[in-house]
Amino acid sequence: MPDPDTAVRRVTGHFRSLTGRSPDGVWAAPGRVNLIGEHVDYNGGLCLPFALPHRTLVALSPRSDDRIRLTSAQIRPVPDARGATRAATWRGSLGEIAPGRSPGWVGYAAGVAWGLRRLGFDVPGFDAVVDGHVPLGSGLSSSAALECAVAVALDEVAGLGADPSQLAEACIAAENEIAGAPTGGMDQTAALRCRAGHALLLDTRDGSVEHLSLDLAAAGTELLVIDTRARHSLVDGQYGSRRAMCEQAARILGVTTLREVDDLAAALDRLPHDEMRRRVRHVVTEIERVRRTADLLSSRRLGELGPLLDASHASLRDDYEVSCPELDLGCSVAREAGASGARMTGGGFGGSAIALVETGRTEAVAGAVTAAFAARDWAAPAFLRAVPSDPAGRVR
Ligand code: GLA
């Protein structure tokens, strides 16, 4: 991620070349790491994400008509009919955004306007340039960062006065209905509501949040993000099939969501097959691990988190089956090299893992993981240090 001023200058420069004038403002929203509580947000569970310093910026101005012009700095410029190089720009109107009609990144960005309008907000047309610094496809929620940056920008320029839960709802609608990814909502809430220096204890049953201090440095630890470079997608059916099986299990058990299961052994006895039993066991035990992690955070015992991270990874790997060889290797090598715990983070099937490492040991852990990947001829992993950072907001 470039320094904040450079990032703002870059997106502003793109905006000027699109429109010939300066944007009304620049807004940014962060990617996230989930400390623990994976695949529980669509089961009414608890999760503990925090915002990364890596952000997606949006330079935006409202228009007086219903047109939308959208450019992404991440889309390669294409030559136009006269051979001049121009940034790839999507041009459309508010009325054109609809499920199945707004492909790829455009759906995530323009879909937010659709989501806000569906909530009754009077959203104008707009010109926008997006510039993402959250690694794409890394399980660090680049899509939620894009949606939330657009949401806070539209909210401000149009004076909508939406509250954070309405903004989150519009972003989730963009992702679920326009982009077609059946995700649970943790990422959007994290991007909008996290606080620097804190993890967000999010109760997805009622949307309530609590900010728990996460002072890694004071505890002599760091959280190293291992981006395995194995690319994941949340629209390829695997994520949706996990979600559908949880909903089916809840119906069989006669509960609204798996959050309501209090007696796990009795619930497992009533389920028809092993796969469903394992999925439910993951969800119920993971929610309990979040409670225990929250207790450790509240009593400032971060040094004791390791075994909970390890148990979460094992459950996601064996019971929920959303890990992959790159994530498993990254976690096991990190542990062997001295991490006190490690787990995949985010939706899985590729993407990133996190490792809790004593301060000063991250280079050694990163080196060991890099060597293990090289020995298998896998693409080199990337690393970043996760520092709990600010939520979405205006940056210029
Ligand atoms: C993705 C989804 C979230 C959540 C996680 C798994 O990041 O967007 O809603 O389900 O996977 O915890």
Side-chain angles (χ1 to χ4, degrees):
M1 166 102 211
D3 72 76
D5 285 344
T6 308
V8 168
R9 266 202 306 280
R10 188 169 115 162
V11 75
T12 307
H14 275 291
F15 188 92
R16 282 205 201 93
S17 41
L18 174 72
T19 63
R21 53 198 170 79
S22 296
D24 271 33
V26 178
W27 291 260
R32 63 98 190 91
V33 149
N34 188 19
L35 185 59
I36 198 160
E38 221 63 86
H39 286 276
V40 298
D41 61 344
Y42 50 82
N43 287 303
L46 299 166
C47 41
L48 255 177
F50 64 86
L52 286 169
H54 303 71
R55 317 185 148 246
T56 290
L57 278 70
V58 173
L60 186 143
S61 288
R63 297 173 58 104
S64 51
D65 57 18
D66 69 349
R67 307 295 300 165
I68 299 174
R69 276 191 298 179
L70 260 180
T71 292
S72 163
Q74 276 62 53
I75 304 293
R76 278 168 204 268
V78 288
D80 68 11
R82 291 188 300 277
T85 300
R86 302 178 53 157
T89 298
W90 182 83
R91 291 179 166 77
S93 67
L94 289 167
E96 270 172 56
I97 313 163
R101 286 185 56 190
S102 311
W105 71 275
V106 170
Y108 292 106
V112 175
W114 179 85
L116 285 167
R117 276 158 55 98
R118 203 174 57 165
L119 288 173
F121 291 108
D122 191 10
V123 180
F126 57 93
D127 292 328
V129 173
V130 304
D131 194 358
H133 302 283
V134 182
L136 297 177
S138 298
L140 301 175
S141 286
S142 54
S143 57
L146 170 55
E147 294 150 6
C148 294
V150 172
V152 290
L154 288 176
D155 181 48
E156 189 173 336
V157 296
L160 304 182
D163 65 38
S165 59
Q166 290 172 313
L167 294 178
E169 194 178 335
C171 293
I172 295 165
E175 178 139 340
N176 289 172
E177 296 175 53
I178 303 296
T183 52
M186 165 178 72
D187 307 337
Q188 292 77 10
T189 304
L192 291 161
R193 304 188 72 178
C194 279
R195 269 193 203 153
H198 293 75
L200 185 79
L201 178 60
L202 167 63
D203 186 336
T204 63
R205 180 158 61 179
D206 59 8
S208 60
V209 300
E210 201 182 322
H211 299 277
L212 301 182
S213 169
L214 182 60
D215 191 345
L216 295 161
T221 57
E222 297 186 27
L223 263 176
L224 178 68
V225 178
I226 305 166
D227 175 1
T228 64
R229 299 274 175 93
R231 287 298 170 242
H232 84 146
S233 162
L234 299 178
V235 290
D236 70 359
Q238 289 280 0
Y239 183 99
S241 68
R242 297 299 185 286
R243 183 171 182 162
M245 188 168 287
C246 289
E247 287 163 1
Q248 199 191 345
R251 277 194 298 277
I252 293 170
L253 296 170
V255 290
T256 332
T257 66
L258 294 179
R259 172 71 179 277
E260 317 307 324
V261 172
D262 330 294
D263 184 342
L264 177 59
L268 295 181
D269 276 347
R270 293 174 55 202
L271 295 174
H273 55 83
D274 181 58
E275 185 185 342
M276 189 179 279
R277 285 193 281 274
R278 286 187 290 116
R279 303 296 189 249
V280 170
R281 187 166 57 198
H282 165 71
V283 172
V284 174
T285 59
E286 182 78 351
I287 293 171
E288 182 53 27
R289 283 185 286 274
V290 177
R291 287 200 187 93
R292 290 168 56 196
T293 304
D295 287 346
L296 290 180
L297 261 54
S298 301
S299 51
R300 315 237 163 192
R301 284 153 57 207
L302 298 191
E304 295 169 44
L305 285 179
L308 288 166
L309 303 184
D310 291 345
S312 170
H313 186 77
S315 176
L316 288 155
R317 181 191 60 210
D318 302 334
D319 277 351
Y320 216 65
E321 295 182 285
V322 290
S323 188
C324 66
E326 292 86 347
L327 287 168
D328 293 342
L329 186 75
C331 290
S332 63
V333 173
R335 281 181 214 117
E336 283 156 24
S340 63
R343 61 179 291 274
M344 53 158 276
T345 188
F349 311 108
S352 297
I354 49 172
L356 190 66
V357 181
E358 201 183 306
T359 304
R361 294 273 314 152
T362 49
E363 301 292 314
V365 170
V369 174
T370 302
F373 274 48
R376 283 161 183 76
D377 276 337
W378 292 351
F383 300 93
L384 48 106
R385 224 157 265 172
V387 181
S389 299
D390 289 320
R394 185 171 189 146
V395 289
R396 181 61 49 89

